[in-house]
Amino acid sequence: DTGVSQDPRHKITKRGQNVTFRCDPISEHNRLYWYRQTLGQGPEFLTYFQNEAQLEKSRLLSDRFSAERPKGSFSTLEIQRTEQGDSAMYLCASSLLQGKEAEAFFGQGTRLTVV
Amino acid sequence: GQQLNQSPQSMFIQEGEDVSMNCTSSSIFNTWLWYKQDPGEGPVLLIALYKAGELTSNGRLTAQFGITRKDSFLNISASIPSDVGIYFCAGQVSGSRLTFGEGTQLTVNP
């Protein structure tokens, strides 16, 4: 399968703990996006990378959130000192830089539950 | 910020019926996309629209990019049970983030 891969699929953590999620995009895709989705809502943009450069961050991305894409391939999203309000589905997507750059293909998501 | 208003919020139809849903915005988008999401899964891209007035089909799905660039609709013909899910519209101004609507929950009764 050459789609977007996310790991883990589910994560339950205690409030105050740090968590890290991984995303492996489609191999030839230059752009990688992180979105957050809460129940009954559409995905909300968090940040995106073009190759290894982080080009845009949403105001939703507080200081406790950090994302990296060190070699322009896989990406990690870390949440420090988790809060109950961080409970959500975290979605990763990737797209080509040129041409159909709007066509973002999503992974299956990581469901985070903070207890 | 930009917001997309998607309607209806939910639809309950009989198998075989046609479905229509739409998305409107107060601001202009250069690209419109439609996604379908099943429970516990990520959204799956159905159709992408790049030009105002464009009408594009993908099997039983047809979508149009409104001439004003502020709206789009999605039609599903001859619905089947596997069409059940949440349908999201998304708009892009240029180059980066997608802005999503709140979704239309579709239920198909066999």
Side-chain angles (χ1 to χ4, degrees):
Chain A
D1 185 17
T2 57
V4 178
S5 177
Q6 290 188 246
D7 183 69
R9 290 291 309 277
H10 303 276
K11 178 71 177 178
I12 300 174
T13 190
K14 291 184 178 179
R15 190 174 52 186
Q17 298 293 306
N18 299 343
V19 294
T20 300
F21 310 140
R22 177 181 169 123
C23 172
D24 287 90
I26 294 171
S27 58
E28 64 268 26
H29 284 185
N30 312 88
R31 290 193 166 174
L32 186 149
Y33 309 81
W34 285 99
Y35 287 81
R36 181 172 70 186
Q37 186 178 27
T38 53
L39 200 61
Q41 302 295 317
E44 294 177 295
F45 172 80
L46 293 177
T47 188
Y48 92 97
F49 293 84
Q50 182 170 302
N51 299 314
E52 66 274 12
Q54 188 173 18
L55 295 188
E56 187 178 356
K57 291 194 287 187
S58 163
R59 285 172 291 178
L60 291 175
L61 211 66
S62 76
D63 292 346
R64 296 184 297 104
F65 287 69
S66 62
E68 295 182 343
R69 194 184 183 196
K71 297 182 178 179
S73 56
F74 74 92
S75 175
T76 57
L77 177 68
E78 181 184 17
I79 308 174
Q80 296 181 327
R81 304 181 303 282
T82 52
E83 302 172 357
Q84 286 188 322
D86 296 332
S87 296
M89 174 80 91
Y90 289 84
L91 294 163
C92 176
S94 68
S95 70
L96 284 169
L97 174 59
Q98 294 179 333
K100 299 182 178 180
E101 59 191 16
E103 294 183 18
F105 294 87
F106 283 82
Q108 293 177 308
T110 294
R111 167 75 63 190
L112 173 66
T113 302
V114 181
V115 298
Chain B
Q2 296 167 323
Q3 285 188 324
L4 296 184
N5 299 307
Q6 200 169 338
S7 65
Q9 284 188 317
S10 60
M11 302 182 73
F12 298 83
I13 62 170
Q14 294 296 126
E15 183 177 358
E17 290 183 354
D18 297 343
V19 171
S20 182
M21 58 191 79
N22 66 72
C23 202
T24 60
S25 171
S26 58
S27 53
I28 290 173
F29 288 98
N30 292 324
T31 305
W32 284 91
L33 304 100
W34 286 91
Y35 287 85
K36 178 177 182 278
Q37 187 174 29
D38 293 327
E41 302 292 329
V44 174
L45 180 62
L46 300 174
I47 290 180
L49 302 155
Y50 292 94
K51 295 180 182 179
E54 178 181 356
L55 186 71
T56 297
S57 293
N58 179 7
R60 294 178 296 105
L61 277 60
T62 302
Q64 185 159 28
F65 189 147
I67 292 177
T68 64
R69 295 180 175 267
K70 294 183 178 180
D71 63 323
S72 177
F73 73 74
L74 175 71
N75 286 341
I76 305 172
S77 62
S79 58
I80 59 178
S82 62
D83 291 334
V84 166
I86 303 177
Y87 291 80
F88 289 101
C89 61
Q92 186 191 61
V93 175
S94 64
S96 60
R97 67 172 69 188
L98 295 177
T99 300
F100 282 82
E102 293 188 340
T104 294
Q105 170 75 61
L106 178 64
T107 302
V108 180
N109 296 314

